[in-house]
Amino acid sequence: YRLVLRYSCDAKTGGGKLSARFGGGKIELEVPSTGGWNRRRELVIGPFEITGSRADLILEPGKLSASASYLMDLNGLWVQPIAPPAGPAKP
């Protein structure tokens, strides 16, 4: 699976580190600026492997950038399955 976050982030007053835990996986990353609080973009995080029928999703802010008061403005979040790689063609 992968997570798709729709967000906005201003380089002067936002940004920093984000930790995403989903199932048994954990990914830490830097939240890139979108060019302002009114400009949105999508950030894809993954892949995550889910075993079983249930998985907790936890997003945690880490250390903010030096001049930041906020990490980001999260507008939406989608959990999408990732298709397995295609195997060889069958005759």
Side-chain angles (χ1 to χ4, degrees), residues 22-34:
F22 189 40
K26 180 177 180 179
I27 296 176
E28 295 180 355
L29 65 142
E30 190 77 26
V31 175
S33 171
T34 60

Side-chain angles (χ1 to χ4, degrees), residues 2-6 45 57 59 74-80:
R2 68 182 185 175
L3 304 175
V4 180
L5 280 60
R6 184 148 176 86
I45 307 171
L57 169 60
L59 298 177
L74 182 61
N75 306 116
L77 180 135
W78 294 266
V79 177
Q80 298 178 334

Side-chain angles (χ1 to χ4, degrees), residues 11-86:
K12 294 178 184 174
T13 58
K17 300 218 180 264
L18 173 69
S19 173
R21 288 189 287 152
F22 189 40
K26 180 177 180 179
I27 296 176
E28 295 180 355
L29 65 142
E30 190 77 26
V31 175
S33 171
T34 60
W37 292 114
N38 294 323
R39 298 186 71 182
R40 291 178 176 82
R41 107 181 226 196
E42 291 182 352
L43 178 63
V44 178
I45 307 171
F48 294 93
E49 186 173 335
I50 305 301
T51 57
S53 61
R54 177 185 155 103
D56 291 329
L57 169 60
I58 300 170
L59 298 177
E60 292 181 304
K63 184 175 180 177
L64 294 177
S65 299
S67 62
S69 300
Y70 308 94
L71 178 62
M72 68 175 145
D73 180 14
L74 182 61
N75 306 116
L77 180 135
W78 294 266
V79 177
Q80 298 178 334
I82 298 174

